[in-house]
Amino acid sequence: MPETKFASADSLRAAFSAAMSDMYRKEVPAYGTLIRLVEAVNAETLTADPELARRLEATDSLDRISAERHGAIRLGTADELKMMRRVFVVMGMYPVGYYDLSTAGVPVHSTAFRPVDDDHLKRNPFRVFTSLLRLELIADEELRAEAANILAARDIFTPGAHALVEKAERDGGLSPADGERFVEEVLETFRWHDKAVVDTAMYDRLHAAHRLIADIVSFRGPHINHLTPRTLDIDRVQDRMPGEGIAPKAVVEGPPTRRCPILLRQTSFKALEEPVAFVSSDGNWEKGSHTARFGEIEQRGVALTPKGRALYDALLTKARAKVRPAADGSNAGDYREALTEAFAEFPDDWNEIRRAGLGYFAYSLTEKGQRTEVKNGDIETAIEAGLIQFDPIVYEDFLPVSAAGIFQSNLGDGAAQEFVAGPNQRMFENDLGAAVLDEFAHYAAIEAASIRDCMRAPGSTMAAE
Ligand code: OOG
Ligand code: NI
């Protein structure tokens, strides 16, 4: 029999993301409500701004503008993380960035599995923010050992998922039919289980150590805890959530509203309390509840250089020192004001951001630039002469302070806790079985390649800066 052509990693990722979306809408009806709100606001925004609609039509796929951009899971062991990496590779998703959440009171460290190159991101941008529990941060040694035992007893992947990952690795891909099965099998890992693997007493002990530990250890698998569509107007969706009967978290994470968006802004509706059942010694299930799942939205801006990021971090710290956002939203207005005030220092003009070396940009020849021979000019002269144009490179990664804010607001108010351990990227990469890609180096390389392309253009004799 002739060998079937392999399904592309992009098509598997697209199928997986669509299957996750369907499953999550069924599992969490409030998420369906959020999606409908996002679609309505995106449609209104495009109607009100035909220029934006035209630009998006040229660069993005307008019909998928409100589709999910990311989801998140929390894993319990190094083995789970290693296997998850192999699963994601089949779908063209690679670990990018290292995020230490321990300093923000969350006992995990994380990466994001995502398509890396622009053409793959364009075909389907879905990524999964993946956290690994740091059991070593549990102070109670006995509880730590018990939690490790519970985790060691589970396999979060189906036998079919194991077999198909091995097949993909062996053959270098999966046939379309195997690809379909692969998506179905992998979906099982992300499914919600309303029956815990622990009894109420154990759940309570884990919960008392940290709510996140209870979420990770108590169940058969790492249920997807949120999905995140893209919105064109995050402030408007935030304002309209209550009217749709969903409770937004207190504040939008990230930079304030600006003319030139930077990095990433995110908000979510608060995690829901859901009925679950705990193991009981008499063989019956004991009724209880668990709070973990929510829905999120995101809006992205330009990727910042290390210099830009340092300025961003400093201004955010300044704003938060002035007003620390309360979980109940009581000082949300003050926080917004403090943020806007602090960020007045961050240039809000693309060319200023670029000239100050704060953001990454992709350079290309204008129409005139393609026709003209430029002799020994530098980039700045060529830009001034209208021969070269520049576009912001979109930030495709995450922000630790924002992520911690998302975690915290979905863990309840009392969850903040101090951990002494700092970042440990080496341990994370060891557990992952691979190095994570450095996101700054990646954006810098995209920028550098765009400059090289301008230089290589026929007729161009420009010198690099
Ligand atoms: C992940 C929270 C982080 C984001 O968008 O920053 C995140 C989690 O709650 O597991 O998804
Ligand atoms: Ni998220």
Side-chain angles (χ1 to χ4, degrees), residues 224-248:
I224 182 89
N225 67 55
H226 68 279
L227 286 179
T228 309
R230 170 189 187 183
T231 173
L232 300 174
D233 190 340
I234 198 165
D235 297 303
R236 196 173 317 178
V237 178
Q238 172 87 347
D239 288 346
R240 283 185 20 193
M241 272 195 229
E244 301 294 326
I246 44 184

Side-chain angles (χ1 to χ4, degrees), residues 257-262 343-350 352-353:
T257 316
R258 296 162 43 89
R259 262 182 348 104
C260 300
I262 55 173
F343 274 82
E345 251 184 71
F346 203 111
D348 200 7
D349 169 272
W350 289 128
E352 274 180 50
I353 294 174

Side-chain angles (χ1 to χ4, degrees), residues 219-287:
F219 299 92
R220 255 175 39 215
H223 39 254
I224 182 89
N225 67 55
H226 68 279
L227 286 179
T228 309
R230 170 189 187 183
T231 173
L232 300 174
D233 190 340
I234 198 165
D235 297 303
R236 196 173 317 178
V237 178
Q238 172 87 347
D239 288 346
R240 283 185 20 193
M241 272 195 229
E244 301 294 326
I246 44 184
K249 74 186 281 301
V251 298
V252 173
E253 298 290 343
T257 316
R258 296 162 43 89
R259 262 182 348 104
C260 300
I262 55 173
L263 296 173
L264 169 64
R265 302 184 72 212
Q266 305 159 271
T267 186
S268 73
F269 67 75
K270 287 201 185 171
L272 309 163
E273 190 177 322
E274 301 181 85
V276 293
F278 295 103
V279 174
S280 160
S281 51
D282 63 9
N284 290 316
W285 291 96
E286 196 170 329
K287 285 205 174 102

Side-chain angles (χ1 to χ4, degrees), residues 70-72 129 225-228 266 294 296-298 398 403 406:
H70 81 263
F129 190 94
N225 67 55
H226 68 279
L227 286 179
T228 309
Q266 305 159 271
F294 57 98
E296 188 192 36
I297 50 175
E298 64 168 55
F398 294 86
I406 297 281

